[in-house]
Amino acid sequence: QVRLVESGGGLVQPGGSLRLSCAASGSIFSIYAMGWYRQAPGKERELVARITNGIMTNYADSVKSRFTISRDNTKNTVILQMNSLKPEDTAVYYCNLNYSMGKLWGRGTQVTVSS
């Protein structure tokens, strides 16, 4: 059974930073991509950042130059470094795994940006 374990959410003031981590474990034969999505209250889930097995990345326009996604392939882990956070970044952040057996979502971690 494949599992995703997310960590790193919390409360931060505007302009602050947070680091989200997501580790995949289990019978994973091949990972195609890992990424982070977010969902704010009353809004649809949206892509934040994504990184493929070939380390190609793509970001939502709203987070470019502020967020950085990276992977540790040896640990099947994806990291989202979030800097210069804004109140509009407040949402539940979900890790997503796209692998040989399909797609999997994490349970989500709350990020709140408020003074």
Side-chain angles (χ1 to χ4, degrees):
Q1 184 178 359
V2 177
R3 292 199 316 154
L4 295 177
V5 178
E6 300 152 323
S7 61
L11 172 65
V12 65
Q13 292 187 342
S17 298
L18 281 175
R19 184 173 180 266
L20 303 184
S21 176
C22 174
S25 63
S27 301
I28 303 170
F29 298 104
S30 183
I31 293 178
Y32 305 138
M34 294 184 76
W36 288 94
Y37 291 70
R38 67 186 181 188
Q39 188 166 18
K43 294 190 176 181
E44 305 232 335
R45 191 173 298 189
E46 63 176 1
L47 172 70
V48 177
R50 182 174 177 267
I51 184 166
T52 69
N53 200 37
I55 70 169
M56 289 181 60
T57 60
N58 58 293
Y59 295 89
D61 288 342
S62 60
V63 307
K64 283 180 182 176
S65 78
R66 299 188 297 123
F67 291 9
T68 302
I69 191 168
S70 60
R71 268 181 65 179
D72 182 343
N73 290 331
T74 63
K75 299 178 181 179
N76 290 336
T77 298
V78 63
I79 305 293
L80 184 67
Q81 178 65 44
M82 305 186 293
N83 299 328
S84 303
L85 283 160
K86 304 175 180 180
E88 50 264 42
D89 294 319
T90 296
V92 178
Y93 283 69
Y94 296 91
C95 179
N96 177 263
L97 170 68
N98 185 0
Y99 71 118
S100 50
M101 297 299 289
K103 296 181 180 180
L104 188 66
W105 291 96
R107 301 177 78 172
T109 184
Q110 177 70 46
V111 171
T112 302
V113 185
S114 175
S115 55

